[in-house]
Amino acid sequence: MQHAQQREGNTPPSLSSPFSLPNGRVLKNRMFKSAMSEQLGDRQHNPTEGVATLYARWAKGGVGLSMTGNVMIDRTALGEPNNIVLDDQSDLAMFEQWALSGKAEGSQLWMQLNHPGKQIPSFLCEVPVAPSAMSLGEGLEKGFNKPRALSEKEILDLIRKFARSAELAKRAGFDGVQIHAAHGYLVNQFLSSRHNQRGDQWGGTLENRMRFVLSVYQAIREKVGKDFPIGIKLNSADFMKGGFSEEESMEVVKALAGAGIDLIEVSGGTYESPSMVGHNVKESTLKREAYFLDYIEKVREMVETPLVLTGGFRSAAAMSSALASKATDFVGLARTMAVDPDFPNKLMSNEHYKQELRPLTTGHSGLDRIAMLDIVWYEFQLARMARGLMPKPNLSEWGVFFRTLVSAGISSFRKRRA
């Protein structure tokens, strides 16, 4: 296959090298915009015009493949107040505009599909659902209500909803979909023995715990056909005692590769242990930039499925090194593109280019965590680009903190009135 030949050639790929997926779809370069939550849905949870503006800007910046922020498959289960939802109640015309804008300049746009499970702020949902009735830990139980366990009928219904959303994404013109199975959301909860303590066919052994994600993939494949790309974002590990381990993750990778998944994005961590944004990462790893490189090198030995490595990349040199090692086929970028939408073009035109991101803090780590500052600060940058403005690297952390509190209060009020 061509993608295998590209890795085995004598000339190492560059950031600008094209890549053919197993199904023949060609991506123009190796720059992959990883999912970030835009929080740009309207009151009916359709995409706003600003979402189309944002993704057109990223396409202009040179990215080969953009992944949307997490689009929810169930409008009764929102991870954030302004999430976008794709179901039979959605205005498909708004999604068509989004897809068209994101595919400018020869870029591709895939939709990330997600269900938050119990990772729903308490002001949005009194009783969320999860594989088991277990609260989040590490102090997060104060902001997230204890869930109830899903019934088997509800599990099967959620699988159908994932498939229906994928079918609608294809109809709207998106180039592919990605299942969000990382960062502690519902699919990740099923995979984790820490959060999934069921005694039926959906829990217990790893074979049973991975049944949900494999069923979601198979249901989507039946709806979209064999030529429509389906990817997955998977944790290398949860980095929590009793959670989804590296060894288990590799077994899931092999199962997904055997089932025919088109693209695997490697990340790691959860809200409880947010390694995906650099928390609790070793100093030696930070210097190398790629947080999960050791893991993906092991995965590369096991499967031929195209891989994306996301987390920590800042310089063209480190990205080129990761590609040259043949451990990964794509470089995943997120926060760097929230600060500079032209980052891909700059990287591809200057092999010495590097972007530094300043540490974000109000000076009080507890407040930073309550406000999820490492996430919402970047959401404010996305909102600026959605209005046609450039990002503001010196944006005040305290300003973001207070505006987040006000927004949460308004959203809570609307929820009570709904």
Side-chain angles (χ1 to χ4, degrees):
M1 290 185 289
Q2 187 176 354
H3 70 288
Q5 293 171 352
Q6 288 170 316
R7 284 196 293 270
E8 294 166 1
N10 294 324
T11 303
S14 68
L15 296 175
S16 59
S17 297
F19 186 91
S20 293
L21 293 174
N23 61 13
R25 297 282 185 98
V26 179
L27 302 172
K28 70 175 185 176
N29 60 44
R30 307 304 181 93
M31 312 304 297
F32 177 100
K33 199 286 294 180
S34 189
M36 291 179 283
S37 178
E38 308 94 358
Q39 283 273 58
L40 292 171
D42 64 17
R43 292 290 295 274
Q44 288 73 44
H45 302 291
N46 291 308
T48 59
E49 290 187 5
V51 181
T53 300
L54 172 63
Y55 278 82
R57 184 64 185 85
W58 274 326
K60 182 180 178 183
V63 68
L65 171 57
S66 281
M67 194 65 63
T68 72
N70 47 6
V71 173
M72 297 299 169
I73 55 104
D74 185 342
R75 64 183 56 242
T76 68
L78 303 178
E80 297 157 301
N82 298 315
N83 277 152
I84 294 170
V85 177
L86 181 54
D87 61 11
D88 287 316
Q89 298 180 49
S90 300
D91 181 355
L92 212 58
M94 297 301 296
F95 286 88
E96 291 169 351
Q97 179 182 345
W98 184 10
L100 186 63
S101 298
K103 296 196 292 185
E105 308 289 335
S107 182
Q108 289 198 23
L109 180 59
W110 294 18
M111 180 181 289
Q112 185 185 77
L113 301 176
N114 191 20
H115 187 293
K118 60 184 161 189
Q119 283 188 173
I120 301 178
S122 56
F123 66 85
L124 282 178
C125 182
E126 291 184 7
V127 185
V129 296
S132 301
M134 299 180 62
S135 299
L136 287 171
E138 302 298 312
L140 293 175
E141 62 274 11
K142 298 174 184 178
F144 297 83
N145 291 328
K146 183 178 180 178
R148 65 172 179 80
L150 287 158
S151 68
E152 177 149 8
K153 181 179 180 299
E154 289 174 318
I155 291 172
L156 296 174
D157 187 49
L158 287 176
I159 293 168
R160 285 190 289 269
K161 287 183 177 181
F162 269 101
R164 179 57 176 162
S165 294
E167 185 179 23
L168 292 170
K170 180 180 180 181
R171 184 184 302 176
F174 288 82
D175 295 300
V177 294
Q178 182 191 61
I179 303 164
H180 197 346
H183 302 171
Y185 292 109
L186 181 68
V187 180
N188 187 204
Q189 290 165 29
F190 267 97
L191 289 169
S192 170
S193 57
R194 177 185 176 91
H195 297 291
N196 180 356
Q197 298 189 9
R198 300 177 68 93
D200 60 7
Q201 66 169 334
W202 304 99
T205 65
L206 178 60
E207 181 182 4
N208 282 350
R209 283 183 278 123
M210 74 167 79
R211 190 183 307 278
F212 183 73
V213 67
L214 289 171
S215 297
V216 167
Y217 167 73
Q218 290 158 358
I220 292 175
R221 180 61 74 201
E222 289 176 6
K223 290 294 185 181
V224 301
K226 61 182 178 64
D227 296 327
F228 188 74
I230 304 173
I232 191 162
K233 187 168 191 170
L234 187 70
N235 270 5
S236 59
D238 291 348
F239 303 104
M240 294 290 293
K241 184 178 180 180
F244 188 53
S245 70
E246 181 176 300
E247 293 74 22
E248 290 177 327
S249 179
M250 290 185 185
E251 290 301 313
V252 175
V253 165
K254 286 192 287 188
L256 288 163
I261 201 89
D262 293 292
L263 188 65
I264 299 173
E265 180 185 3
V266 171
S267 188
T270 67
Y271 279 20
E272 295 170 295
S273 180
S275 302
M276 61 281 197
V277 292
H279 288 232
N280 302 319
V281 174
K282 295 178 181 178
E283 185 64 29
S284 58
T285 301
L286 289 173
K287 289 180 180 179
R288 193 178 56 183
E289 295 188 18
Y291 296 162
F292 312 110
L293 184 58
D294 289 343
Y295 169 86
I296 206 169
E297 287 173 341
K298 299 172 188 175
V299 170
R300 178 79 291 155
E301 295 299 316
M302 298 188 307
V303 301
E304 280 293 309
T305 306
L307 301 175
V308 183
L309 180 57
T310 297
F313 283 116
R314 301 289 179 266
S315 70
M319 297 175 200
S320 297
S321 176
L323 290 176
S325 73
K326 303 181 182 180
T328 187
D329 301 299
F330 297 91
V331 173
L333 306 172
R335 293 184 293 171
T336 46
M337 289 188 63
V339 175
D340 183 2
D342 295 309
F343 192 43
N345 277 334
K346 292 175 180 178
L347 290 165
M348 289 185 288
S349 63
N350 181 355
E351 63 182 7
H352 303 294
Y353 193 77
K354 182 176 183 178
Q355 181 189 139
E356 298 288 355
L357 295 177
R358 65 183 180 88
L360 299 174
T361 182
T362 60
H364 302 274
S365 59
L367 293 182
D368 296 346
R369 193 170 188 204
I370 290 171
M372 295 188 175
L373 190 64
D374 270 326
I375 296 174
V376 298
W377 188 89
Y378 291 96
E379 289 178 353
F380 275 78
Q381 304 289 8
L382 304 190
R384 288 182 59 84
M385 285 191 280
R387 298 195 301 273
L389 304 173
M390 284 297 289
K392 189 176 182 181
N394 63 347
L395 185 66
S396 165
E397 289 94 327
W398 275 109
V400 169
F401 176 78
F402 285 120
R403 288 161 70 183
T404 300
L405 289 185
V406 170
S407 176
I410 292 172
S411 297
S412 179
F413 177 75
R414 285 175 178 168
K415 180 67 178 177
R416 289 194 297 269
R417 289 286 299 270

